Amino acid sequence: MRVPLASASPLLAVILWAVALMVNPGPLAPWSVFLVGLGLLTMATISVTGMIVVGGRWALRTGMVTVAATLLIAVIRPVDPIWFVALAVSITSGVLLFLPIVTQRIRKLPSATGPPTRAVLVSLVLAATPVAVGLAAWDRPTAATVVIGLSAPVCALWYSRVLPGGLYAVRVIWPLLAVGLAAFQPVSAAVVSVITAFLVLALAWHREVEVAFHPPRETGRVFPIPPELAPREILDAAELNERGRPR
């Protein structure tokens, strides 16, 4: 039981920082708080689920990135009692992720049946986008910033759940949306949106991402087995004799 609890520590840290931002957001505007909180919760949930369920190395690394992002929140948020508690949990979580209590359940090699690396990365980049644009537009996020931040994890879910049009969403829809709405955002958020869009494009148009969404299929063939080679219990169940004819 200790291992899942230790693996879930990034989620606990994120929840505490989300509460801290709601109590006192510091320099962050309300919509920036919303985007940052949403992105961190999404990343932490993905990380914890991946570590506990499949023991994925990508999940452990996502957890480390999530904890590092909470430390960034600690830098920009004012110090108060909640700040000290959340910071202590973040530091503890960061230490736990390097200890055997967590790492012993993580795969040492990539899973032979798991999704390709780029297919995982494109979803993780989209899931982390709300945090990036929320912090970039920390004092004056626009409606375009909110649309970009909210649509990114939706597209990640769209693709990862293999829903109709999911591949088209990460290859065309979201990158075009991010680039097209860049002009209606603060400069810092616009830069983040454009960079993220091109990163998603570079990942999504790789063959691995398409294969993960549309696995190659082969048509099966049926080869008749001579009745003499069929197990006796199968012939008896089908009420056939040793020549394969009805009794």
Side-chain angles (χ1 to χ4, degrees):
M1 187 63 181
R2 293 181 305 165
V3 173
L5 287 177
S7 300
S9 59
L11 183 58
L12 177 59
V14 165
I15 292 174
L16 286 174
W17 281 112
V19 172
L21 286 175
M22 287 188 289
V23 172
N24 185 354
L28 296 180
W31 276 109
S32 292
V33 171
F34 176 77
L35 291 175
V36 171
L38 174 66
L40 288 177
L41 285 172
T42 302
M43 294 170 62
T45 302
I46 293 173
S47 169
V48 171
T49 303
M51 285 190 286
I52 295 177
V53 176
V54 301
R57 298 187 301 168
W58 59 267
L60 177 61
R61 293 166 182 169
T62 302
M64 294 176 179
V65 172
T66 304
V67 172
T70 64
L71 297 178
L72 180 59
I73 301 301
V75 173
I76 64 177
R77 186 192 178 277
V79 176
D80 58 11
I82 300 179
W83 184 91
F84 285 105
V85 175
L87 179 62
V89 174
S90 290
I91 294 174
T92 303
S93 175
V95 172
L96 287 174
L97 293 180
F98 287 94
L99 296 181
I101 193 173
V102 173
T103 58
Q104 66 186 359
R105 287 177 57 91
I106 303 300
R107 295 177 182 272
K108 301 300 182 291
L109 297 174
S111 173
T113 58
T117 301
R118 289 177 177 84
V120 175
L121 281 176
V122 71
S123 297
L124 293 179
V125 169
L126 288 169
T129 298
V131 179
V133 297
L135 291 176
W138 57 275
D139 60 339
R140 49 191 180 95
T142 63
T145 305
V146 176
V147 170
I148 294 301
L150 294 181
S151 61
V154 171
C155 285
L157 180 64
W158 193 353
Y159 170 77
S160 60
R161 298 303 298 172
V162 198
L163 299 175
L167 183 61
Y168 186 74
V170 297
R171 282 185 165 183
V172 179
I173 295 178
W174 192 85
L176 285 179
L177 186 67
V179 173
L181 293 181
F184 304 97
Q185 301 183 71
V187 176
S188 55
V191 171
V192 170
S193 295
V194 172
I195 291 176
T196 307
F198 280 101
L199 178 58
V200 170
L201 278 173
L203 292 170
W205 281 94
H206 194 276
R207 175 65 177 168
E208 286 184 354
V209 176
E210 181 180 359
V211 170
F213 194 82
H214 294 300
R217 299 178 180 178
E218 295 183 2
T219 303
R221 297 181 180 179
V222 177
F223 296 94
I225 301 176
E228 295 80 4
L229 299 180
R232 186 66 191 181
E233 57 270 18
I234 294 180
L235 294 175
D236 292 339
E239 297 183 353
L240 301 176
N241 58 23
E242 63 277 0
R243 296 179 179 273
R245 297 175 180 175
R247 295 176 181 174

